[in-house]
């Protein structure tokens, strides 16, 4: 499986992968570890990430950004309606009522769902991970803000599916940071010691999240979270943009907001200015050339003025900090450290305020930009059997209290019950017991609308089907398992009917309620008595059977109590979900298919563009070379003809050839390369480059054999055994080769370079194969001479010293053996010419 973490940020995304060496944040095709959360739509393709961001000014209405918080929201949602007017691209309502994005794509107006758009971004991030890991990626962990509601989370899960990802966990951004910190810190308290309390602050673009975590070795428990969705980098940008819109309105009489392009440019410049002000407190300029109506605009600002403008926003820092302290009932002195991450954590006044609140220096142990992605990758590695990670049990929290309500004729109205209070541990399952004669519906909702940054409290309805009375006509016992899963999403995950088969006067067997033991989940059995009475069921309704509760149960029921023995059979019941904004399987499948088509279209377009670029590059390259390295190999007439051809092609590229099919460019390139004299010229150039080396090698071989022949003629000992006839033949061959080489070299040197070479490199290389006929002759081994037998017996090698020359351990023997051996060895062939 792949081990990948994606930080799906409002402004930028990061990808971290686990490799043998550890967790690594990987770079995209621009060698940048940060991928902007932008998708741009064009007449032929989409661009995603950095390529899309570069089109934000030129193709602003079809370049989509800042869509992270559109997930799981109706088009009519107040948040959508409030941001809509500030966007330079259009939003539209999807048939389901959710938010869609309207753009021109492939020369047609298209509305894409938010899941599709995020799916596109994830496709890009997936490709980045794939090219880093050099293998297909599916399994991953994706981050979401801790304050995301179920609808928003389910929508991101759908987006992951559209991108072909298997999201093993949607991880809260602050929890991912917490895990990265926990794995990084080596000195956490032992499991039995008092946990270390650390506050995490993520100051991103779209908001500000705070969480409090208790750490022990191998154990990480989130205690509380809080957030502010205004206090992010974007809030500061908005203030700056407003300020300059007003200033330029007065100073230059420009209505900036009337021109989307100008507004986008102003946002870009204001963000740059904001970043500069983090590092510099003096006056800083803001200049934009040809801003609107050909007017250049300029302004200036310093940090002090900026902080004054943002006083209202900065005052929001304390709210979430105070909130987590109140929720956890901790005192400031209980806090061991305050770790800050996120791009906007670089704003000095924010840091000062947080630091002042806790009376502590802030800690920046982690990489502020990459911590979320790294935490996600760590979580993925923990989930993967292939990686050995220091195990951490991670307990997150339920961000908003969740209740269930149900309606039943027998109950004469609505009953409700809070199943997961705020900050309840998650993931977690509970089992509720109902007594019913017929199918019934449970509606899940967030109990406290005030704490919800979302207009709709309903999570969805769950219809428990196929419920029938017992054979006796009484209500049947129905067990319903509710859970908040690893993604932080609530569901009624299972329902079963307990059918009573037989009753006998026997001791009651052990607990029939099946505790929903699941990996990583603490299970509780809860019983809701709802037999024909209306109950406002709250926590008092639950009989928990965690360890404590089980004890309680045993005490309640003495083991010796005789009760009718009940034999039961459990029947699984189907559940029909009606969840808000969850894409239906059909829609999801269609989106997956469409994403596949768009990926293919992008690929084809890339190939087409590459083919076009190849023609263009060839034109430029050849033009350079005709006046450069190839100059001396081409005569003037040929050069002129070819230059003209190149110029024609260049013009064609800007006119008829601007927008052609890939094959047209491929053919064009082939035509340029084939029909022109280029190949000849190129070959001449290549020949001229390679020729000296080939001659040198041939010369080297000729010399080598000449030396051997000389040595043979001088009757040197090692060659005396060679066959005279054969040596004479080698001698002739070598001399012929030398004559051939000298003559060719002379002819070539007097040849004009613009003409075909006199001799080809290939021919020289063929001549260089002298060794195939010469070598066997000159390296023939000397015949062996066997030493006399008796001597070998007496003076043969002793104690494994055979063949060595260091034998004189016995000087008497050594002398004769040495002499004898030496003679014999000298007769052996020693030379081996290769
Ligand atoms: P979110 O977490 O809200 O989804 P994100 O993860 O994309 O958003 P980050 O990348 O953490 O956000 O932070 C981006 C924000 O940080 C931007 O508003 C950016 O302008 C701001 N930022 C980055 N560097 C600096 C700096 N040096 N000074 C001020 N602000 C900065
Ligand atoms: Mg972020």
């Amino acid at each position: 499986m792949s081990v990948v973490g994606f930080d799906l940020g409002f402004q930028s995304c990061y990808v971290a992968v686990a490799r043998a060496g550890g967790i690594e944040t990987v770079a995209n095709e621009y060698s940048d570890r940060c991928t902007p959360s932008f998708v741009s739509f064009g007449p032929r393709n989409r661009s995603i990430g950095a390529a899309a961001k570069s089109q934000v000014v030129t193709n602003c209405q079809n370049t989509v950004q800042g869509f992270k918080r559109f997930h799981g929201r109706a088009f009519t949602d107040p948040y959508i309606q409030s941001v809509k007017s500030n966007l330079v691209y259009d939003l539209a309502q999807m048939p389901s009522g959710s938010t869609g994005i309207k753009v021109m794509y492939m020369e047609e107006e298209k509305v894409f769902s938010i899941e599709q758009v995020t799916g596109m971004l994830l496709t890009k991030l997936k490709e980045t991970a794939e090219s880093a890991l050099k293998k297909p990626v599916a399994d991953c962990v994706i981050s979401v803000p801790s304050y995301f509601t179920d609808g928003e989370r389910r929508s991101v899960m759908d987006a992951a599916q559209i991108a072909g990802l298997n999201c093993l966990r949607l991880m809260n951004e602050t929890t991912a940071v917490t895990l990265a910190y926990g794995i990084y810190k080596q000195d956490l308290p032992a499991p039995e010691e008092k946990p270390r309390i650390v506050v995490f602050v993520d100051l991103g673009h779209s908001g500000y999240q705070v969480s409090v975590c208790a750490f022990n070795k191998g154990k990480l428990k989130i205690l509380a979270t809080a957030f502010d969705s205004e206090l992010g980098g974007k809030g500061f940008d908005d203030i700056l943009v407003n300020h300059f819109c007003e200033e330029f309105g007065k100073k230059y009489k420009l209505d900036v907001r009337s021109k989307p392009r100008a507004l986008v440019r102003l946002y870009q410049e204001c963000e740059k200015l904001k970043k500069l002000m983090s590092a510099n407190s003096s006056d800083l300029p803001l200049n934009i050339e040809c801003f609107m109506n050909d007017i250049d605009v300029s302004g200036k600002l310093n940090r002090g003025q900026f902080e004054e403008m943002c006083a209202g926003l900065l005052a929001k820092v304390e709210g979430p900090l105070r909130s987590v302290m109140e929720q956890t009932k901790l005192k400031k002195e209980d806090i061991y450290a305050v770790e800050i991450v996120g791009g906007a954590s670089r704003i000095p006044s924010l840091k000062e305020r947080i630091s002042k609140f806790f009376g502590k220096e802030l800690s920046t142990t982690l990489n502020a930009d990459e911590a979320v992605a790294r935490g996600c990758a760590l979580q993925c590695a923990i989930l993967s059997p292939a990686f050995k990670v220091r195990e951490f049990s991670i307990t997150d929290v339920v961000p908003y209290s969740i209740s269930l309500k149900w309606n039943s004729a027998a109950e004469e109205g609505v009953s409700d019950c809070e199943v997961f209070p705020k900050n309840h541990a998650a993931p977690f399952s509970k089992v509720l017991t109902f007594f019913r004669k017929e199918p019934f519906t449970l509606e899940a909702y967030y109990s406290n609308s005030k704490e919800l940054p979302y207009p709709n409290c309903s999570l969805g309805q769950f219809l428990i089907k196929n419920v029938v009375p017992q054979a006796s006509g009484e209500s049947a016992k129905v067990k319903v398992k509710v859970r908040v899963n690893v993604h932080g999403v609530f569901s009624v995950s299972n329902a079963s009917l307990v059918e009573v088969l037989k009753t006998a006067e026997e001791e009651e067997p052990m607990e029939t309620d099946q505790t929903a033991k699941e990996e990583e989940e603490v299970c509780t059995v809860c019983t809701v008595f709802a037999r024909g009475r209306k109950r406002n069921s709250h926590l008092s309704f639950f009989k928990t059977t965690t360890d404590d509760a089980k004890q309680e149960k045993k005490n309640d029921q003495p083991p010796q109590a005789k009760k009718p023995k009940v034999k039961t059979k459990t029947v699984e019941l189907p559940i029909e979900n009606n969840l808000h904004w969850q894409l239906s399987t059909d829609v999801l499948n269609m989106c997956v298919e469409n994403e596949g088509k768009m990926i293919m279209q992008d690929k084809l377009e890339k190939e087409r563009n590459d083919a076009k670029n190849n023609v263009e590059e060839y034109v430029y390259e050849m033009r350079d070379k005709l006046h450069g390295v190839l100059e001396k190999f081409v005569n003037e007439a040929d050069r002129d003809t070819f230059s003209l051809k190149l110029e024609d092609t260049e013009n064609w590229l800007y006119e008829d050839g601007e927008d052609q099919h890939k094959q047209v460019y491929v053919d064009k390139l082939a035509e340029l390369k084939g029909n022109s004299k280029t190949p000849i010229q190129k070959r001449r150039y290549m020949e001229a480059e390679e020729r000296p080396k080939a001659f040198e090698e041939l010369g080297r071989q000729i010399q080598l054999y000449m030396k051997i022949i000389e040595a043979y003629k001088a009757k040197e000992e090692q060659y005396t055994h060679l066959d005279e006839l054969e040596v004479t033949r080698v001698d002739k061959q070598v001399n012929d080769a030398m004559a051939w080489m000298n003559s060719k070299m002379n002819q070539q040197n007097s040849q004009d370079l613009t003409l075909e070479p006199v001799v080809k490199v290939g021919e020289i290389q063929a001549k260089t194969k002298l060794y195939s006929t010469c070598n066997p002759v000159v390296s023939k081994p000397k015949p062996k001479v066997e030493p006399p037998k008796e001597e070998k017996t007496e003076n043969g090698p002793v104690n494994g010293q055979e063949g060595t020359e260091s034998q004189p351990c016995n000087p008497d023997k050594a002398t004769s053996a040495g002499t004898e051996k030496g003679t014999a060895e000298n007769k052996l062939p020693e030379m081996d010419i290769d």
Side-chain angles (χ1 to χ4, degrees), residues 434-450:
F434 291 85
F435 292 90
R436 284 289 186 283
K437 288 182 179 169
E438 54 196 26
F440 61 102
T441 299
L442 295 171
E443 173 161 5
Y445 67 101
Y446 290 116
S447 354
N448 189 354
S449 64
K450 281 195 218 106

PDB file of all heavy atoms in Angstrom, residues 434-450:
ATOM      1  N   PHE A 434     -33.610  -0.376  21.415  1.00  0.00           N
ATOM      2  CA  PHE A 434     -34.987   0.123  21.279  1.00  0.00           C
ATOM      3  C   PHE A 434     -35.942  -1.065  21.327  1.00  0.00           C
ATOM      4  O   PHE A 434     -35.548  -2.183  20.996  1.00  0.00           O
ATOM      5  CB  PHE A 434     -35.172   0.829  19.926  1.00  0.00           C
ATOM      6  CG  PHE A 434     -34.411   2.129  19.817  1.00  0.00           C
ATOM      7  CD1 PHE A 434     -33.072   2.141  19.425  1.00  0.00           C
ATOM      8  CD2 PHE A 434     -35.040   3.329  20.108  1.00  0.00           C
ATOM      9  CE1 PHE A 434     -32.381   3.324  19.331  1.00  0.00           C
ATOM     10  CE2 PHE A 434     -34.342   4.524  20.008  1.00  0.00           C
ATOM     11  CZ  PHE A 434     -33.009   4.525  19.622  1.00  0.00           C
ATOM     12  N   PHE A 435     -37.146  -0.826  21.711  1.00  0.00           N
ATOM     13  CA  PHE A 435     -38.170  -1.863  21.630  1.00  0.00           C
ATOM     14  C   PHE A 435     -39.229  -1.381  20.660  1.00  0.00           C
ATOM     15  O   PHE A 435     -39.860  -0.347  20.883  1.00  0.00           O
ATOM     16  CB  PHE A 435     -38.743  -2.150  23.021  1.00  0.00           C
ATOM     17  CG  PHE A 435     -37.713  -2.800  23.909  1.00  0.00           C
ATOM     18  CD1 PHE A 435     -36.864  -2.035  24.696  1.00  0.00           C
ATOM     19  CD2 PHE A 435     -37.549  -4.182  23.899  1.00  0.00           C
ATOM     20  CE1 PHE A 435     -35.879  -2.629  25.472  1.00  0.00           C
ATOM     21  CE2 PHE A 435     -36.569  -4.786  24.681  1.00  0.00           C
ATOM     22  CZ  PHE A 435     -35.724  -4.007  25.473  1.00  0.00           C
ATOM     23  N   ARG A 436     -39.365  -2.101  19.583  1.00  0.00           N
ATOM     24  CA  ARG A 436     -40.213  -1.617  18.493  1.00  0.00           C
ATOM     25  C   ARG A 436     -40.970  -2.757  17.816  1.00  0.00           C
ATOM     26  O   ARG A 436     -40.523  -3.905  17.826  1.00  0.00           O
ATOM     27  CB  ARG A 436     -39.344  -0.952  17.410  1.00  0.00           C
ATOM     28  CG  ARG A 436     -38.833   0.433  17.779  1.00  0.00           C
ATOM     29  CD  ARG A 436     -39.992   1.425  17.771  1.00  0.00           C
ATOM     30  NE  ARG A 436     -39.541   2.785  17.977  1.00  0.00           N
ATOM     31  CZ  ARG A 436     -39.184   3.298  19.144  1.00  0.00           C
ATOM     32  NH1 ARG A 436     -39.190   2.557  20.220  1.00  0.00           N
ATOM     33  NH2 ARG A 436     -38.811   4.557  19.244  1.00  0.00           N
ATOM     34  N   LYS A 437     -42.100  -2.400  17.222  1.00  0.00           N
ATOM     35  CA  LYS A 437     -42.867  -3.393  16.472  1.00  0.00           C
ATOM     36  C   LYS A 437     -42.764  -3.148  14.971  1.00  0.00           C
ATOM     37  O   LYS A 437     -43.203  -3.959  14.169  1.00  0.00           O
ATOM     38  CB  LYS A 437     -44.344  -3.319  16.887  1.00  0.00           C
ATOM     39  CG  LYS A 437     -44.594  -3.860  18.279  1.00  0.00           C
ATOM     40  CD  LYS A 437     -46.072  -3.786  18.594  1.00  0.00           C
ATOM     41  CE  LYS A 437     -46.316  -4.358  19.977  1.00  0.00           C
ATOM     42  NZ  LYS A 437     -47.672  -4.077  20.448  1.00  0.00           N
ATOM     43  N   GLU A 438     -42.286  -1.985  14.625  1.00  0.00           N
ATOM     44  CA  GLU A 438     -42.250  -1.640  13.195  1.00  0.00           C
ATOM     45  C   GLU A 438     -41.007  -0.801  12.868  1.00  0.00           C
ATOM     46  O   GLU A 438     -40.332  -0.317  13.781  1.00  0.00           O
ATOM     47  CB  GLU A 438     -43.507  -0.857  12.830  1.00  0.00           C
ATOM     48  CG  GLU A 438     -43.707   0.337  13.701  1.00  0.00           C
ATOM     49  CD  GLU A 438     -45.131   0.908  13.613  1.00  0.00           C
ATOM     50  OE1 GLU A 438     -46.060   0.141  13.285  1.00  0.00           O
ATOM     51  OE2 GLU A 438     -45.273   2.102  13.863  1.00  0.00           O
ATOM     52  N   PRO A 439     -40.728  -0.658  11.595  1.00  0.00           N
ATOM     53  CA  PRO A 439     -39.561   0.155  11.212  1.00  0.00           C
ATOM     54  C   PRO A 439     -39.647   1.550  11.830  1.00  0.00           C
ATOM     55  O   PRO A 439     -40.742   2.069  12.038  1.00  0.00           O
ATOM     56  CB  PRO A 439     -39.662   0.230   9.691  1.00  0.00           C
ATOM     57  CG  PRO A 439     -40.444  -0.961   9.296  1.00  0.00           C
ATOM     58  CD  PRO A 439     -41.414  -1.210  10.410  1.00  0.00           C
ATOM     59  N   PHE A 440     -38.504   2.143  12.113  1.00  0.00           N
ATOM     60  CA  PHE A 440     -38.504   3.486  12.712  1.00  0.00           C
ATOM     61  C   PHE A 440     -37.313   4.296  12.212  1.00  0.00           C
ATOM     62  O   PHE A 440     -36.335   3.740  11.718  1.00  0.00           O
ATOM     63  CB  PHE A 440     -38.532   3.404  14.236  1.00  0.00           C
ATOM     64  CG  PHE A 440     -37.348   2.696  14.840  1.00  0.00           C
ATOM     65  CD1 PHE A 440     -36.311   3.421  15.423  1.00  0.00           C
ATOM     66  CD2 PHE A 440     -37.268   1.315  14.828  1.00  0.00           C
ATOM     67  CE1 PHE A 440     -35.225   2.778  15.987  1.00  0.00           C
ATOM     68  CE2 PHE A 440     -36.175   0.659  15.394  1.00  0.00           C
ATOM     69  CZ  PHE A 440     -35.154   1.381  15.972  1.00  0.00           C
ATOM     70  N   THR A 441     -37.469   5.602  12.358  1.00  0.00           N
ATOM     71  CA  THR A 441     -36.430   6.508  11.843  1.00  0.00           C
ATOM     72  C   THR A 441     -35.726   7.218  12.987  1.00  0.00           C
ATOM     73  O   THR A 441     -36.365   7.673  13.937  1.00  0.00           O
ATOM     74  CB  THR A 441     -37.075   7.560  10.921  1.00  0.00           C
ATOM     75  OG1 THR A 441     -37.682   6.873   9.838  1.00  0.00           O
ATOM     76  CG2 THR A 441     -36.033   8.517  10.364  1.00  0.00           C
ATOM     77  N   LEU A 442     -34.413   7.296  12.878  1.00  0.00           N
ATOM     78  CA  LEU A 442     -33.635   8.074  13.844  1.00  0.00           C
ATOM     79  C   LEU A 442     -33.097   9.282  13.108  1.00  0.00           C
ATOM     80  O   LEU A 442     -32.539   9.150  12.022  1.00  0.00           O
ATOM     81  CB  LEU A 442     -32.461   7.248  14.361  1.00  0.00           C
ATOM     82  CG  LEU A 442     -32.814   6.000  15.171  1.00  0.00           C
ATOM     83  CD1 LEU A 442     -31.566   5.177  15.430  1.00  0.00           C
ATOM     84  CD2 LEU A 442     -33.480   6.395  16.477  1.00  0.00           C
ATOM     85  N   GLU A 443     -33.261  10.429  13.690  1.00  0.00           N
ATOM     86  CA  GLU A 443     -32.678  11.609  13.067  1.00  0.00           C
ATOM     87  C   GLU A 443     -31.521  12.099  13.929  1.00  0.00           C
ATOM     88  O   GLU A 443     -31.677  12.306  15.137  1.00  0.00           O
ATOM     89  CB  GLU A 443     -33.704  12.726  12.908  1.00  0.00           C
ATOM     90  CG  GLU A 443     -32.995  13.977  12.424  1.00  0.00           C
ATOM     91  CD  GLU A 443     -33.878  15.021  11.795  1.00  0.00           C
ATOM     92  OE1 GLU A 443     -35.095  14.852  11.800  1.00  0.00           O
ATOM     93  OE2 GLU A 443     -33.291  16.005  11.302  1.00  0.00           O
ATOM     94  N   ALA A 444     -30.366  12.238  13.288  1.00  0.00           N
ATOM     95  CA  ALA A 444     -29.203  12.727  14.027  1.00  0.00           C
ATOM     96  C   ALA A 444     -29.070  14.222  13.788  1.00  0.00           C
ATOM     97  O   ALA A 444     -29.281  14.692  12.672  1.00  0.00           O
ATOM     98  CB  ALA A 444     -27.962  12.008  13.557  1.00  0.00           C
ATOM     99  N   TYR A 445     -28.731  14.952  14.848  1.00  0.00           N
ATOM    100  CA  TYR A 445     -28.569  16.404  14.680  1.00  0.00           C
ATOM    101  C   TYR A 445     -27.555  16.937  15.692  1.00  0.00           C
ATOM    102  O   TYR A 445     -27.301  16.311  16.724  1.00  0.00           O
ATOM    103  CB  TYR A 445     -29.920  17.112  14.807  1.00  0.00           C
ATOM    104  CG  TYR A 445     -30.531  17.049  16.180  1.00  0.00           C
ATOM    105  CD1 TYR A 445     -30.463  18.137  17.056  1.00  0.00           C
ATOM    106  CD2 TYR A 445     -31.180  15.896  16.634  1.00  0.00           C
ATOM    107  CE1 TYR A 445     -31.011  18.076  18.327  1.00  0.00           C
ATOM    108  CE2 TYR A 445     -31.727  15.823  17.901  1.00  0.00           C
ATOM    109  CZ  TYR A 445     -31.637  16.918  18.742  1.00  0.00           C
ATOM    110  OH  TYR A 445     -32.175  16.841  20.006  1.00  0.00           O
ATOM    111  N   TYR A 446     -26.982  18.065  15.340  1.00  0.00           N
ATOM    112  CA  TYR A 446     -26.066  18.724  16.262  1.00  0.00           C
ATOM    113  C   TYR A 446     -26.913  19.443  17.301  1.00  0.00           C
ATOM    114  O   TYR A 446     -27.770  20.273  16.953  1.00  0.00           O
ATOM    115  CB  TYR A 446     -25.176  19.723  15.524  1.00  0.00           C
ATOM    116  CG  TYR A 446     -24.174  19.048  14.619  1.00  0.00           C
ATOM    117  CD1 TYR A 446     -24.214  19.229  13.240  1.00  0.00           C
ATOM    118  CD2 TYR A 446     -23.188  18.227  15.153  1.00  0.00           C
ATOM    119  CE1 TYR A 446     -23.292  18.602  12.410  1.00  0.00           C
ATOM    120  CE2 TYR A 446     -22.265  17.593  14.327  1.00  0.00           C
ATOM    121  CZ  TYR A 446     -22.319  17.790  12.965  1.00  0.00           C
ATOM    122  OH  TYR A 446     -21.410  17.171  12.156  1.00  0.00           O
ATOM    123  N   SER A 447     -26.673  19.113  18.573  1.00  0.00           N
ATOM    124  CA  SER A 447     -27.583  19.621  19.595  1.00  0.00           C
ATOM    125  C   SER A 447     -27.421  21.105  19.894  1.00  0.00           C
ATOM    126  O   SER A 447     -28.342  21.735  20.378  1.00  0.00           O
ATOM    127  CB  SER A 447     -27.422  18.831  20.895  1.00  0.00           C
ATOM    128  OG  SER A 447     -26.573  17.748  20.755  1.00  0.00           O
ATOM    129  N   ASN A 448     -26.220  21.633  19.618  1.00  0.00           N
ATOM    130  CA  ASN A 448     -26.025  23.038  19.989  1.00  0.00           C
ATOM    131  C   ASN A 448     -25.723  23.888  18.753  1.00  0.00           C
ATOM    132  O   ASN A 448     -24.580  23.995  18.311  1.00  0.00           O
ATOM    133  CB  ASN A 448     -24.872  23.114  20.992  1.00  0.00           C
ATOM    134  CG  ASN A 448     -24.735  24.485  21.586  1.00  0.00           C
ATOM    135  OD1 ASN A 448     -25.419  25.429  21.178  1.00  0.00           O
ATOM    136  ND2 ASN A 448     -23.855  24.612  22.558  1.00  0.00           N
ATOM    137  N   SER A 449     -26.786  24.472  18.213  1.00  0.00           N
ATOM    138  CA  SER A 449     -26.617  25.196  16.950  1.00  0.00           C
ATOM    139  C   SER A 449     -25.681  26.396  17.100  1.00  0.00           C
ATOM    140  O   SER A 449     -25.045  26.819  16.144  1.00  0.00           O
ATOM    141  CB  SER A 449     -27.978  25.644  16.415  1.00  0.00           C
ATOM    142  OG  SER A 449     -28.545  26.552  17.326  1.00  0.00           O
ATOM    143  N   LYS A 450     -25.555  26.909  18.326  1.00  0.00           N
ATOM    144  CA  LYS A 450     -24.731  28.111  18.521  1.00  0.00           C
ATOM    145  C   LYS A 450     -23.251  27.856  18.284  1.00  0.00           C
ATOM    146  O   LYS A 450     -22.520  28.725  17.840  1.00  0.00           O
ATOM    147  CB  LYS A 450     -24.948  28.659  19.942  1.00  0.00           C
ATOM    148  CG  LYS A 450     -26.235  29.440  20.055  1.00  0.00           C
ATOM    149  CD  LYS A 450     -26.253  30.265  21.350  1.00  0.00           C
ATOM    150  CE  LYS A 450     -27.651  30.259  21.915  1.00  0.00           C
ATOM    151  NZ  LYS A 450     -27.802  29.410  23.111  1.00  0.00           N
TER     152      LYS A 450
END
